[in-house]
Amino acid sequence: MSQTAVTAPFAATVAHVVAPPGTAVAEGDVLVYLEIMKMEQPVTAPVGGVVAAVDVVVGDGVAAGQRLALIGPAEAPAADRPAAPAGDGATGVRTDLAEVRRRRGLLADDARPEAVASRHDRGMRTARENVADLLDEGSFSEYGGLGIAAQRGRRGLDELLARTPADGLITGTGTVNADLVGPARARVAVAAYDYTVLAGTQGLTNHHKKDRLFRLAHTHRLPVVVFAEGGGGRPGDTDGAGASWLDAEAFELFARLSGRVPTVAIVNGRCFAGNAALAGSADVIIATEGSTLGMAGPAMIEGGGLGVVDPDDIGPMDVQVANGVVDVLVRDEAAAVAAAQQYLSYTQGPVAAPEPHDQTALRDAVPENRKRTYDVRRIVEVLADPGSVLELRPGFAPGVVTAFARIGGQPVGVVANDPRHLGGAIDADGADAVSRHLELCDAYGLAVVVLCDTPGFMVGPEAERDGGVRRFSRMFVAGARLGVPIIAVVTRKAYGLGAQAMLGGHLKVPALTVGWPTAELGPMGLEGAVRLGFRRELESIEDPDERAAREQALIDAAHAGARGLNVATYAEIDDVIDPADTRERILQTLAAVTPPTTA
């Protein structure tokens, strides 16, 4: 039987393959879209029939006259075929049900092999693969999957069904970690932009889908995970789009969820404009290496007269990690999904307690020499259940550690000073990190474990240029508003206003305040206190060696008074403990205090 070749009318790049082999087409149906001068042009079928072969894939460069596809003859007329039962062909399925199945089949990745292959060639997964990986198997209930782009005024229905499945946004509900916490505590809502459909842009139909999902999440208290990859608003929608688009409700609806239910954004690839606004409104942003995240893409920047900018230069990860925008940076989408599952687990309640680390390792975690530093993250890892620590923003505010963990199966927030940076002094970025973490823990009912080792707030002209007064004081506000318990452990230094802020306001705010044998507490650092309080005496000593010896003697005396054991004799702290007992004391306190309730 004869076949008809379909050739490229001009040199271009293959943008989309609409009709894969086996597709029945009529004369004039679109087979392939070619891109030239950043414009997409359709190549249509010259005759009716069935697509016998497609010779190109998305991304191929083609020359004028190059063969794109072959069209074979249509199936034999019904009169020439054997009789079939009533319904759709030989299957016996009712015609209306068969059409529902066909439409739903267009949503699957299998219906668009070229788009899937292009995605995989770039080392990325499809939106549906990400959703399937996030949710427990068999739990996904999709909403709005049959929606298509609001472009009926410029494209035919068959083309929209083939090229804009779900209008580029997969939404629905399911469960995450049901095997750990049970299905009732594992409920979530998910929205995943599909970059293979109109570059993951935000169209009229998928705005309606988001609105529906976010309202559902608010009413039924469902945590929300958003896969945010995409290019922002879509100017190509024509059907009922209105004038300004400023009445889009999704951003307000999603922001309203903050503090009511946990919200997570996963950023992979390019995420600009409205997609970035959703990501930035989430409690936690998890991003993959090599991604870009910005409030405007290249077209908007150029349109604003700000020049031509490469998309990879707009909010790359080295920028967004250092400035604290991205909370967790991971290798790829699989790792991003795993991090999202781990983050959600902390808000889902306790799990069975595993065998803990050897707690005797904590006895040597802080050196006896008070001038020697140590790795506070090692202390966090030993205290916590194995494999349970998720640190947020480790590339931002290096003087503090903010993390989630489990201790004896109980989820907790962790705030710690890192003495390897500025001796543990709290700078403006550190204050912001602590305040934000306290607010996040309070919103979702997580007790906070504080490991305090700070000489206080960073002071001086540079600190004031950084807005220290406001940013430091925000820690006191966050601490005063906490409705969850704090458990404070002074590992070494607790001096001045910075220490008070770390403890939620003062020593009596925590449900338990204990020190390790290395603990020292006071109104300001010992060396500074001696030099300030004994300035005249020291200046009166002419001999430098004698002056230095007197200064050290005064510091030693001050240290004796500041030691945790001495402070405990005044009942200003609750106890001084063997570091190996810290985990047990935390668990005892968690059992004793009123269980926190989710805000």
Side-chain angles (χ1 to χ4, degrees), residues 313-330:
D313 293 331
I314 304 171
M317 286 301 101
D318 60 344
V319 171
Q320 302 292 29
V321 169
N323 66 17
V325 167
V326 168
D327 295 280
V328 181
L329 182 69
V330 296

Side-chain angles (χ1 to χ4, degrees), residues 27 170 391 532:
E27 182 179 348
I170 300 164
E391 184 175 355
L532 182 64

Side-chain angles (χ1 to χ4, degrees), residues 370 454-455 492-496 518-534 538 551-552 554-563:
R370 59 191 298 269
T454 181
R492 182 179 273 160
K493 301 181 298 294
Y495 288 115
T518 45
E520 52 188 76
L521 303 86
M524 64 183 297
L526 299 181
E527 289 81 359
V530 166
R531 288 166 191 151
L532 182 64
F534 295 88
L538 293 171
E551 180 179 324
Q552 187 58 52
L554 291 169
I555 291 173
D556 291 343
H559 181 249
R563 289 183 63 197

Side-chain angles (χ1 to χ4, degrees), residues 189-222:
V190 61
Y193 283 97
D194 185 346
Y195 201 80
T196 70
V197 176
L198 304 178
T201 48
Q202 296 178 331
L204 186 65
T205 302
N206 73 40
H207 266 308
H208 291 326
K209 292 172 62 173
K210 286 191 294 291
D211 295 350
R212 167 70 166 148
L213 188 75
F214 296 159
R215 286 192 174 97
L216 196 71
H218 189 277
T219 299
H220 299 284
R221 291 186 177 271
L222 303 177

Side-chain angles (χ1 to χ4, degrees), residues 8 22 149 179 278 423 517 566:
D179 58 330
L278 286 177
N566 184 61

